[in-house]
Amino acid sequence: MNRTLMALGFALVCGVAGAQANILQLPLINDPIMNPLIAPDLGSILVNKVIFPGLVRPDENLQPVPDLAKSWTITNGGLVYTFVLRDDVRWHDGKPFTAQDVVYTFKTAIDPKSGSRLASDFNSIKSVEARGNHTVRFVLSRPFAPFLILLGHNAGILPKHLLEGKDLSSNTAFNRQLPIGTGPFKVSRVVPGASVTLVANKDYYRGDPKLAGITFKIVPDLNTQVAQLRSGQLDWATLEPSNLASVQNVPNIAIKEANAIQHFLVFFNLKNPLFTAPKVREAMQYAVNRKAIIDGILKGYADYPTGTIPTALRTYYDKSIKPIAYNPAQALKLLAQAGWKPNARGTLVNSKGEPFKFTLIVDKGNATREQAALAVQQDLKKIGMDVTLQTLEFGTLVRDYLIPGKYDANLIWWTTPPDPDQYSFYATGQDNNEASWSNARADSLLKRGRETVDPKARKNIYNAYQRLTMQDPPVLVLYYPKEIQAINKDLTGVPDLGIRDALRYTERFQLR
Amino acid sequence: MLSPGYIARRVVHALVVLAVVAVVTFFIVRLAPGGPAALADPALRDAERAAIEARLGLNDPLPVQFLKFVGNALRGDLGESFLFGTPTTQVIASRIGNTLILAGAALTLTLLVAVPLGTLSGLRPHSWIDRIVSFISVVVLAIPVFWLGLILIIALAVLRPVLPAGGMYTTGMEGNLVDLLRHLLLPAVVLASASIAELLRYTRSSVRSAAKLDHVRTARAKGLPQRTVHLRHVLKNALIPVVTVIGLQLPRLVGGAAVTETIFAWPGMGRLSVEAALGRDYPLILGVTLVVATAVVLFNLLVDLVYPLIDPRIRTDG
C-alpha cells in the first residue's frame, strides 16, 4: 500500500512519460470556429490558416505567391482573374480538390444570407465559374487591386461536397468538431474548452510536414500563457510589452518581433465642431509625445507613424515623408491659428471663452492601450485641453459609442489585410469611417488606389495619400505596433512574418 | 418525520426561486451595455452587422424575445449559444463534468483538512496548534484567489517545474488518471483554500461550543475517558451544524470557480460563465446562471430535507 502511494506520488510530481514529441503547442483564448468564412476572432483565424489553405499565400514581402493555385493571369484591365489550380490536392477525407470547391467557397462568401464575414472583402466579384476541373475564372464588377492579397488573407477554401446546401453557421459538426480542409495538418481531436489537436496530413500536396502535429491549447489568461511558455507547455505566443520582462533571459525562449499590419490611433468625431478644422488635428499631432509612448509603454516595439499606412506595407510605404516630431509650441501656434488660445490659467479657450473640453474613451483591461490613452490625455492637458479619460469594456465601446458616433475621441486600432487599400476606413461616407472624415482628394486617391493594378502607379497614389494625411489627418495615428513573439528556440523553419501569416507555412516548421 | 406538506412547500419554493432567477437574469443581461461579441468587430460593415443581428434574433422587441425564451425553455431548449453556434445545453453539458471533478476534489480536500484541524483546534483552544491554525486560516482568507493561483503556478510550475501550469490533461494523454491528478492538484488547492479556512473556523467554534454543553461536563464528571467524551459527546453534537455548512459549500465551489478555472485553463463551467459574460452570449449566460442556481437551490432543498432527519429538534410541521 505504502509503495503504491509512493509510486503514485512520484508519478504525480515527475510527470508521466509518454507525451508525444515533435508537436508544436500554441495558445488560443477560446474555442475556435473552424470555418474561414464565418470565423469571428483571431484565434479561429489562426487555426483556419493551418487547416484551410487559400489559392495564394503571402510571401515574406506580403506579396501573393501560389498555394492551391499554380498560376494565374489577369486580363481585361484587371477585371478577369483566371487561376490554374494544382491537380494533386486532396481533402482531408480523401476526396479530390477541384475548381468546384473554389466556386462554392466564393459564391457562399459573397452571399449575404450565408453568414459569411468575408462578404465585404469580395463584393467586387461579379461571377466565379469553373472552367474544367482545375481552372477557375473570376470576373470582377470593377477593377479591384487588393483582390489577390485578399485571396491569400482569410479566404481558405471549403469543401463543396460536405457543405453545399447546408447552413454555414449552425453546421456544428464541421465548425467545431471535424473540419475538413486541404492543409498540412488535419484535426484529430477537439476537447471543448481545452484543446484542438492536429496531426500531420500525409497526403499534403507539398510532401510530408516536418512536425508530427500541432496542438492549439485554450489558455485564456495571458499570465498563464507566459507561465506555460516558461515551463515548456507552449512553444510560441504573442505578448504584450508588459509581459516582456517575464520571458526575457529564459534560456529556451527567444523574443522575435514581426511587422503587424496595424495602426493604433485616436479617432476624433468630426461631427463635433471642436475637431472640424484640420489645423486642430494637425496641432494634436505635435502635442502628443508619440516617441515617449513608443519607448516607454511599448518598450520600443513600434514604429513612429507618418499617416495611416503602416511601415509593414514596405512596398507602398513612403519612407521619405518626415514624421511630425513632438513640439507643443508648434501645436499651440497652430491652435492659435484655429482660434484657440490659452487663457490666464493656461486653459485653451476660443473667442467666446469656451474651453477645449472633451472625453477620450479607451477599452478596459489592456494595459498598453490604457497607458497610451493616459499619456495622450496628459500631453493634451499640457497644452491646455481639458480631457477626461473614460475606460469602457471593448464591446460597449464599439457598439454603444463608436458605431453610433456617440463619442468625442476614442483610442482604438485598425488591423488590415497586407494591402494599402483603406477606402472603407477613410473614404467619405464609408461604413468604417467612424470619424466621418471627408476629403475629396483623399476620396479620389483611395478610389484610384484600389482600382489601379500596376504596382508602380499604385505606389505613387498611396505615397500621395500618405502625404495628404499628414496635413489633414483623418485620425491621430499614435504608432504602428510590432508583434512581439516569444518562441521556443528549438522551433525552426518559421518565415519572417506575423504569426497569422507565418501559420500559412506550418509544413516547413520543425522542432529540434 | 418529514411531512408531505413540508416537502411540497420546499419544492414549490425552489421552483419559484428558479423562475425569479431566470426572469431577473434575462432582463439584467440585456440591460448591460454593449452587445454580443459577434457584433463587437469595428470593421464589420452595416449590412454584415444587420445580418448577424437578424440571425441571432436580436431584432425582436425585448418582451417578444422573453416570451420566445420562456416558450423554448419550457420545452428544455435554452437556445443556441452565440459564441459556440451550438445549443446552450450541449455547451454546458460538455463542461459541467470538468467542474464537478474540480469541485469534488476541492470539497474532498476541504473536508480532509478543515474538519480534523478545526476539531483539533476546538478541543485545544489557545494551544500552539490552535494559534498556528487560526493564523494560517485568517491569512488564507485574506489572500485573493487569482494571486494565490499565480504564485503557486510560478513556484511549482515555472521555478520548480514539478506540476503542470494549467489545463486538464497533457496533450495526447486525455483520460489518463495520473495525468489528470497532476493537473488537478494546484487548481483544487486554490479553489479549496477559502473553503478550508472558513469551514475550519466554523468547525473550531462549533466544537468549542459543544465542549461547553452541560451533558459533556457531566460525562467528564462521571470519569469517562477523554477520547470517549470527545468522540461520543462533543463531536456528535458539533458536527451536525458543520454538515449544513458543507452542504452549502458545494454550490459555491461549482459557481465560484470562475477565477480558478480561468487561471488554470481548466475547461469548466466557471470559465464558461466568464466567456459568456464577456461575449454577451445571452443564451449561454442564462443557461449557466440557471444551472448554477439549480445547483444552489437543490443543495439548499437537500439540506432543508435532511436537516430535520439528523436533528429532530427542527420542526417541519409549522
Side-chain angles (χ1 to χ4, degrees):
Chain A
M1 180 62 195
N2 269 349
R3 242 180 234 175
T4 321
L5 273 180
M6 271 175 67
L8 183 65
F10 187 72
L12 281 176
V13 170
C14 298
V16 195
Q20 290 161 283
N22 205 16
I23 290 179
L24 177 69
Q25 304 186 89
L26 302 170
L28 294 179
I29 57 167
N30 47 255
D31 290 293
I33 292 186
M34 293 175 287
N35 183 329
L37 291 194
I38 55 168
D41 60 296
L42 179 64
S44 300
I45 288 169
L46 294 181
V47 178
N48 290 331
K49 298 260 180 193
V50 181
I51 307 172
F52 301 97
L55 294 180
V56 298
R57 58 180 175 179
D59 68 5
E60 289 194 354
N61 289 316
L62 300 170
Q63 295 305 304
V65 293
D67 198 354
L68 286 172
K70 277 197 291 199
S71 63
W72 57 87
T73 48
I74 307 171
T75 51
N76 285 27
L79 282 175
V80 177
Y81 286 68
T82 309
F83 290 87
V84 178
L85 308 177
R86 295 182 71 114
D87 52 11
D88 55 350
V89 180
R90 286 190 176 272
W91 291 100
H92 293 155
D93 63 359
K95 296 272 189 323
F97 157 80
T98 71
Q100 289 301 336
D101 295 309
V102 180
V103 173
Y104 162 77
T105 300
F106 287 96
K107 281 195 166 159
T108 313
I110 55 178
D111 175 4
K113 286 190 291 272
S114 69
S116 155
R117 283 182 173 256
L118 302 184
S120 46
D121 281 2
F122 293 105
N123 60 14
S124 60
I125 296 176
K126 193 162 103 188
S127 70
V128 46
E129 57 188 48
R131 301 243 152 157
N133 263 349
H134 298 106
T135 306
V136 176
R137 200 172 86 149
F138 290 87
V139 178
L140 307 188
S141 54
R142 55 173 195 274
F144 186 57
F147 187 63
L148 269 179
I149 298 272
L150 286 170
L151 285 180
H153 191 50
N154 289 334
I157 306 299
L158 288 169
K160 179 187 177 190
H161 67 281
L162 292 172
L163 297 173
E164 192 180 30
K166 291 187 180 160
D167 178 33
L168 273 196
S169 302
S170 56
N171 195 351
T172 316
F174 187 93
N175 300 340
R176 292 288 185 180
Q177 290 297 325
L178 196 64
I180 297 293
T182 54
F185 294 88
K186 52 185 180 184
V187 174
S188 67
R189 180 173 189 156
V190 176
V191 184
S195 62
V196 177
T197 305
L198 285 76
V199 293
N201 170 16
K202 298 288 176 201
D203 290 329
Y204 181 58
Y205 47 90
R206 280 181 225 277
D208 283 357
K210 296 195 169 68
L211 294 170
I214 298 179
T215 298
F216 287 92
K217 295 171 70 175
I218 295 152
V219 184
D221 184 71
L222 286 186
N223 292 312
T224 313
Q225 283 190 13
V226 170
Q228 294 209 4
L229 264 172
R230 294 189 50 156
S231 65
Q233 286 176 269
L234 288 174
D235 297 306
W236 192 11
T238 53
L239 301 179
E240 286 290 320
S242 54
N243 292 129
L244 265 173
S246 352
V247 284
Q248 269 161 345
N249 308 320
V250 177
N252 202 35
I253 297 176
I255 302 291
K256 226 178 101 178
E257 64 171 60
N259 283 314
I261 306 152
Q262 289 180 321
H263 54 296
F264 275 68
L265 52 101
V266 176
F267 264 135
F268 297 112
N269 189 346
L270 302 189
K271 288 187 178 143
N272 182 333
L274 275 185
F275 305 111
T276 326
K279 278 233 156 41
V280 169
R281 279 172 279 133
E282 200 188 340
M284 286 183 171
Q285 305 215 78
Y286 286 103
V288 174
N289 190 348
R290 290 176 276 182
K291 189 164 182 333
I293 295 176
I294 292 167
D295 292 346
I297 301 164
L298 286 121
K299 318 276 186 230
Y301 284 90
D303 281 341
Y304 202 96
T306 43
T308 60
I309 292 178
T311 37
L313 296 169
R314 287 185 274 243
T315 324
Y316 299 97
Y317 181 78
D318 187 347
K319 279 186 286 197
S320 69
I321 294 177
K322 242 183 104 190
I324 292 179
Y326 176 54
N327 187 346
Q330 176 68 10
L332 283 170
K333 205 169 115 190
L334 288 166
L335 283 165
Q337 288 169 14
W340 294 94
K341 289 181 183 154
N343 65 11
R345 274 178 299 169
T347 309
L348 215 52
V349 290
N350 61 12
S351 54
K352 293 180 207 154
E354 292 161 345
F356 200 110
K357 184 179 162 74
F358 68 94
T359 301
L360 170 65
I361 55 177
V362 65
D363 66 307
K364 207 181 272 191
N366 179 292
T368 312
R369 295 195 287 274
E370 283 185 25
Q371 288 171 26
L374 186 65
V376 170
Q377 181 211 27
Q378 294 304 316
D379 284 345
L380 294 179
K381 271 193 162 175
K382 279 183 204 151
I383 58 162
M385 291 184 179
D386 182 356
V387 187
T388 310
L389 194 59
Q390 189 186 3
T391 55
L392 294 162
E393 184 260 331
F394 186 69
T396 311
L397 186 151
V398 173
R399 281 268 283 164
D400 295 354
Y401 293 80
L402 183 65
I403 290 165
K406 288 184 191 159
Y407 71 96
D408 301 327
N410 169 10
L411 192 152
I412 199 165
W413 70 100
W414 284 124
T415 303
T416 59
D419 187 273
D421 176 33
Q422 297 188 335
Y423 185 83
S424 73
F425 303 112
Y426 297 117
T428 306
Q430 293 301 301
D431 281 3
N432 297 144
N433 184 353
E434 323 288 2
S436 305
W437 186 61
S438 178
N439 179 309
R441 191 165 136 68
D443 288 352
S444 141
L445 287 169
L446 287 168
K447 186 161 181 292
R448 271 170 49 212
R450 60 178 5 204
E451 288 176 355
T452 304
V453 183
D454 172 41
K456 256 197 184 144
R458 247 189 133 201
K459 180 175 165 53
N460 289 335
I461 293 169
Y462 284 109
N463 289 171
Y465 168 71
Q466 196 181 330
R467 207 161 289 126
L468 167 72
T469 57
M470 297 297 283
Q471 275 114 43
D472 178 7
V475 292
L476 170 66
V477 182
L478 294 175
Y479 51 85
Y480 310 134
K482 301 278 181 188
E483 181 180 283
I484 308 173
Q485 302 177 356
I487 191 163
N488 181 342
K489 282 183 182 161
D490 291 339
L491 179 63
T492 56
V494 181
D496 192 13
L497 286 164
I499 195 163
R500 52 196 287 169
D501 290 321
L503 284 175
R504 281 277 188 232
Y505 291 88
T506 44
E507 84 275 7
R508 297 182 187 171
F509 291 11
Q510 208 165 357
L511 273 167
R512 270 195 299 254
Chain B
M1 264 308 281
L2 292 172
S3 67
Y6 174 78
I7 296 174
R9 270 202 311 281
R10 284 289 182 262
V11 171
V12 170
H13 181 235
L15 290 175
V16 171
V17 169
L18 284 181
V20 171
V21 167
V23 175
V24 171
T25 315
F26 182 92
F27 287 101
I28 280 186
V29 297
R30 276 166 173 79
L31 282 177
L39 298 166
D41 178 358
L44 277 181
R45 309 293 167 80
D46 293 349
E48 289 165 334
R49 203 179 299 277
I52 295 172
E53 279 185 342
R55 195 160 48 77
L56 299 182
L58 297 168
N59 288 340
D60 294 332
L62 212 48
V64 176
Q65 290 186 37
F66 180 69
L67 289 179
K68 277 187 184 165
F69 161 73
V70 172
N72 291 335
L74 289 177
R75 286 194 296 273
D77 172 10
L78 290 176
E80 187 178 292
S81 156
F82 297 169
L83 291 173
F84 292 82
T86 42
T88 302
T89 41
Q90 261 180 37
V91 180
I92 293 173
S94 74
R95 302 288 186 93
I96 197 162
N98 301 339
T99 288
L100 290 178
I101 290 174
L102 179 58
L107 186 68
T108 311
L109 215 59
T110 305
L111 294 180
L112 287 179
V113 177
V115 175
L117 280 183
T119 308
L120 207 61
S121 267
L123 290 176
R124 290 178 196 167
H126 311 301
S127 64
W128 62 268
I129 191 160
D130 178 39
R131 278 168 208 209
I132 292 176
V133 165
S134 295
F135 176 74
I136 293 176
S137 64
V138 170
V139 172
V140 168
L141 266 180
I143 294 178
V145 174
F146 71 91
W147 191 80
L148 180 65
L150 287 174
I151 291 294
L152 286 179
I153 289 176
I154 290 168
L156 296 172
V158 175
L159 298 178
R160 286 265 171 276
V162 289
L163 287 169
M168 200 166 158
Y169 290 104
T170 308
T171 317
M173 299 186 64
E174 288 84 0
N176 180 311
L177 183 64
V178 175
D179 192 52
L180 172 67
L181 290 174
R182 291 186 69 227
H183 284 82
L184 188 56
L185 201 55
L186 288 185
V189 166
V190 170
L191 184 59
S193 60
S195 296
I196 289 176
E198 254 178 50
L199 188 64
L200 196 153
R201 296 181 69 74
Y202 194 87
T203 310
R204 178 185 181 275
S205 66
S206 183
V207 167
R208 278 206 70 192
S209 317
K212 287 178 193 157
L213 291 175
D214 289 345
H215 73 274
V216 175
R217 203 178 315 136
T218 314
R220 278 213 182 89
K222 280 198 301 190
L224 282 179
Q226 186 84 328
R227 196 184 156 85
T228 315
V229 176
H230 286 165
L231 283 178
R232 197 174 293 166
H233 298 282
V234 179
L235 280 187
K236 206 174 152 192
N237 279 301
L239 293 185
I240 289 174
V242 171
V243 169
T244 322
V245 177
I246 294 166
L248 294 174
Q249 293 286 338
L250 197 55
R252 214 187 68 178
L253 291 176
V254 174
V259 178
T260 311
E261 288 185 0
T262 302
I263 292 173
F264 288 95
W266 191 268
M269 290 272 289
R271 210 178 91 201
L272 193 63
S273 66
V274 176
E275 276 177 56
L278 289 179
R280 297 285 193 282
D281 188 339
Y282 301 146
L284 194 55
I285 296 174
L286 261 169
V288 172
T289 312
L290 279 178
V291 168
V292 173
T294 308
V296 175
V297 167
L298 272 182
F299 281 105
N300 271 322
L301 186 65
L302 209 65
V303 169
D304 281 353
L305 298 181
V306 169
Y307 210 73
L309 298 181
I310 56 174
D311 191 349
R313 286 169 298 185
I314 304 286
R315 286 164 55 93
T316 65
D317 53 352

